[in-house]
Amino acid sequence: MSSIVSSPTFDAAAAVRPVSAMTRSDRVLLAIGFLMAALTLMPILALVVIAVQPTGEVWTHLLGTVLPSSLVTTGLLMLGVGAITLIVGVGTAWLVTMCRFPGRALFDWALLIPLAVPTYIIAYTYVEILDYTGPVQGALRALFGFKTSRDYWFPEIRSLGGAIFVMGFVLYPYVYLTTRASFLLQSACALDVSRTLGAGPMRLFFVVALPLARPAIVVGLSLALMECLNDIGAVTFFGVNTMTFSVYDTWIHRSSLAGAAQLACGMLAIVFLLLWAERYARRKQRFHITTSRYLALPSYQLTGPRAGLAILACALPVLLGFVLPAALLVDYASRRLDELFDPALMAAVGNSLVLSITAALLTVAIGILLTYAQRIQHNPATQLFGRVASIGYAIPGTVLAVGILIPLAAFDNFIDGFSRSVFGVGTGLLMLGSGAALIYAYMVRFLAVAHGQIEGGFGKVTPHLDMAARTLGRNSVRTLFEVHLPLIRPILLTAVLLAFVDCMKELPATILLRPFNFETLATTVYNAASREAFAEGAVPALVIVLVGLAPAVLLAWSSAQSFRGRKSARG
């Protein structure tokens, strides 16, 4: 009989050798892991150093006018987005997992598709759809004979409410994905016992399933809120002055890097508070299924009006989060097919591909080294490397850009001065002027994505293979290349793909760290929207969406495969 209890797990530390038995290759791998963790931590330390610099009257102005309003706005935005992602993500996860209704298999994977579209592109499309000149208000005027906007009331999309609506229906898949996985892993016996004791569907959901899924829900909600905090394109377009926008505005328009760093430190405090809340919420919760036998999860057959409501509840998020924006992009892009070979667009595509491919490959390589260092020497130091390297995803792009600028600028100036004094030739801005700063920012920001995937892959490789390889005379490096990497190749490909797409979509750090006259697909779309000419950015926006579909479909496929596998095992 299956039950949910704490159970011992196999300790991989027993399979690694003590420090005294470490080989030279072991020490090299650990040194590289330490270096990578230090590079991840450097922007945060630089941010603190910048923040303690004097700001003159700028900080007085920020403290008196900018900071209070941006804090309140950021709090309201996160509260609203959190509410939508919770309701939509948890509700749809329960429906597709525990209920049977027409179209459930379709919605099972389709509910993940909004992850393919960046929030800033969704924001631009909804302004086009719901603005005064858009098709919705145009249809209302034609239908009821209204002449001007004073003749009727329509909600303003360029507002805090509009930002909450857009981000909520783009970011809910984070909660849906983690919550649905938790529902699938819950014990069928525990749910069956609850039903035997007379618990109906609502009571079963709120009293049994929801408390068990709370850690997964908190993880998904934290990811969604961190993405919300990171956004700059949507909030700028909607005129919502969040902390992210204030950092950007203070740096670019007020020319105060120290003031921007101080605001960025405030944002970082919010991020760490979210991380602490996520860990605190699941500090004592450990659920293990102690049997390999699976029974079918209890499910409810929905018919008639209930089935219709379930279909509507699952279809609406997909419609609002992907179908309508994608349809508008296809319509706009189809009218501008002649721009496909425009030199500026081709240059932006080339820049995006070079940056994203380079950053993705380096990110995965670093993730492999960090994870393998943890595997060969399981101690607090290597575990700390992994934790430090993973915090980059929690750092908003604007905050990361502020922290990266100063150390890289100092490095560029040092190299330039050294080259002039020794060779009589200046090198210019090697890091900031070549795009290397962007690659560095992408690596720090998305290392957690690759590290998590790779760590899960290494975890599936039994430590006995390490011992067998070493018995046959293989050192750590040869064991890595001859044993581990071939076994986790599919996971590595997934990690590269996810990191690549995240780099392609990244906007905040790209805006602030790109070299002069250097455009990517994301900045091209942003520039077009800033000029109120979003139609001009439809083609690059559609390219970003099509590229983003790859990981969304991959996640949906793997999720569906997991569901079918568990269903088969339970049968």
Side-chain angles (χ1 to χ4, degrees):
M1 180 175 179
S2 172
S3 60
I4 301 178
V5 297
S6 294
S7 62
T9 56
F10 178 75
D11 185 7
V16 299
R17 293 182 292 180
V19 176
S20 59
M22 288 176 61
T23 65
R24 182 178 179 182
S25 59
D26 292 344
R27 291 188 173 88
V28 170
L29 287 171
L30 291 176
I32 293 174
F34 175 79
L35 177 62
M36 294 303 103
L39 288 175
T40 304
L41 195 60
M42 186 178 69
I44 299 177
L45 298 178
L47 189 68
V48 175
V49 172
I50 301 169
V52 299
Q53 302 298 318
T55 59
E57 297 180 358
V58 174
W59 179 244
T60 304
H61 170 72
L62 293 176
L63 189 62
T65 58
V66 176
L67 187 59
S69 61
S70 61
L71 273 174
V72 171
T73 303
T74 301
L76 292 175
L77 177 66
M78 296 176 72
L79 186 65
V81 171
I84 292 179
T85 54
L86 271 179
I87 294 171
V88 176
V90 176
T92 53
W94 177 258
L95 285 173
V96 300
T97 306
M98 302 299 296
C99 301
R100 297 195 302 273
F101 56 91
R104 185 186 69 164
L106 172 66
F107 293 126
D108 181 35
W109 62 266
L111 283 162
L112 286 170
I113 296 301
L115 281 178
V117 191
T119 52
Y120 55 88
I121 291 181
I122 292 286
Y124 305 153
T125 57
Y126 268 107
V127 168
E128 295 291 310
I129 294 172
L130 299 178
D131 209 10
Y132 178 78
T133 58
V136 174
Q137 291 199 52
L140 286 176
R141 290 193 298 271
L143 183 62
F144 296 102
F146 298 134
K147 300 299 182 183
T148 66
S149 60
R150 292 188 296 271
D151 297 335
Y152 64 98
W153 177 85
F154 194 84
E156 177 57 57
I157 185 63
R158 297 195 190 215
S159 63
L160 177 60
I164 291 173
F165 165 78
V166 166
M167 291 189 185
F169 281 98
V170 175
L171 299 177
Y172 80 84
Y174 287 105
V175 178
Y176 167 79
L177 186 63
T178 57
T179 306
R180 183 180 172 281
S182 178
F183 286 155
L184 284 173
L185 290 172
Q186 287 178 9
S187 169
C189 292
L191 300 180
D192 271 337
V193 168
S194 303
R195 296 180 71 180
T196 302
L197 294 175
M202 296 299 291
R203 186 173 178 81
L204 180 67
F205 172 70
F206 285 105
V207 177
V208 181
L210 198 58
L212 291 176
R214 190 175 69 179
I217 293 172
V218 172
V219 170
L221 181 62
S222 299
L223 291 172
L225 292 182
M226 283 190 285
E227 285 296 319
C228 172
L229 192 62
N230 177 63
D231 180 83
I232 191 173
V235 297
T236 302
F237 199 56
F238 283 149
V240 179
N241 295 329
T242 60
M243 291 285 290
T244 303
F245 175 80
S246 297
V247 171
Y248 174 78
D249 184 64
T250 303
W251 182 358
I252 300 300
H253 298 142
R254 291 189 173 90
S255 301
S256 175
L257 186 58
Q262 291 168 353
L263 289 174
C265 286
M267 286 185 65
L268 209 55
I270 296 175
V271 169
F272 288 149
L273 180 63
L274 286 174
L275 292 175
W276 174 83
E278 181 263 324
R279 292 188 179 275
Y280 183 82
R282 56 189 178 94
R283 69 193 186 285
K284 295 181 179 179
Q285 301 195 15
R286 299 291 186 271
F287 305 119
H288 301 281
I289 299 175
T290 58
T291 178
S292 59
R293 294 181 65 250
Y294 295 104
L295 303 174
L297 284 170
S299 57
Y300 302 93
Q301 180 67 53
L302 303 181
T303 58
R306 291 186 177 182
L309 289 175
I311 293 172
L312 180 62
C314 292
L316 199 58
V318 180
L319 181 69
L320 296 176
F322 179 77
V323 175
L324 288 180
L328 182 72
L329 287 178
V330 170
D331 178 52
Y332 278 7
S334 64
R335 305 177 192 178
R336 294 177 171 271
L337 294 179
D338 56 310
E339 296 180 0
L340 285 175
F341 300 101
D342 179 70
L345 178 60
M346 297 301 293
V349 171
N351 291 337
S352 295
L353 288 176
V354 170
L355 288 175
S356 300
I357 292 174
T358 305
L361 292 176
L362 289 175
T363 300
V364 170
I366 293 171
I368 292 171
L369 292 174
L370 284 174
T371 307
Y372 194 55
Q374 290 175 282
R375 184 180 181 91
I376 63 174
Q377 194 62 38
H378 195 89
N379 57 44
T382 57
Q383 299 309 304
L384 180 62
F385 296 165
R387 287 183 180 273
V388 170
S390 297
I391 65 174
Y393 189 75
I395 305 175
T398 49
V399 175
L400 189 61
V402 175
I404 283 177
L405 179 68
I406 293 301
L408 291 193
F411 176 79
D412 279 343
N413 290 333
F414 171 77
I415 295 298
D416 183 70
F418 177 79
S419 178
R420 288 179 184 276
S421 63
V422 175
F423 304 107
V425 179
T427 59
L429 298 176
L430 288 177
M431 299 293 289
L432 295 175
S434 65
L438 277 176
I439 294 175
Y440 178 35
Y442 293 165
M443 288 166 51
V444 174
R445 177 97 169 84
F446 302 119
L447 179 57
V449 177
H451 183 264
Q453 291 282 328
I454 296 166
E455 191 174 41
F458 271 105
K460 296 177 181 179
V461 180
T462 174
H464 296 296
L465 289 179
D466 299 64
M467 293 187 288
R470 294 194 174 189
T471 301
L472 295 173
R474 302 298 191 270
N475 60 20
S476 299
V477 175
R478 293 189 64 182
T479 301
L480 173 65
F481 282 97
E482 296 179 11
V483 178
H484 292 91
L485 296 187
L487 289 175
I488 64 170
R489 186 178 302 162
I491 293 174
L492 294 180
L493 293 176
T494 301
V496 170
L497 179 61
L498 291 175
F500 168 77
V501 174
D502 279 336
C503 294
M504 287 282 287
K505 296 191 298 183
E506 209 287 331
L507 179 63
T510 307
I511 291 176
L512 296 173
L513 292 176
R514 58 180 169 155
F516 293 111
N517 298 321
F518 186 93
E519 301 292 343
T520 65
L521 288 172
T523 61
T524 301
V525 176
Y526 178 78
N527 291 337
S530 300
R531 299 193 307 269
E532 300 290 337
F534 176 65
E536 297 179 9
V539 174
L542 187 60
V543 173
I544 294 175
V545 172
L546 292 176
V547 170
L549 274 174
V553 171
L554 179 64
L555 281 173
W557 177 84
S558 61
S559 176
Q561 288 293 107
S562 173
F563 174 74
R564 282 193 288 268
R566 292 186 64 84
K567 183 177 179 181
S568 175
R570 292 172 187 269

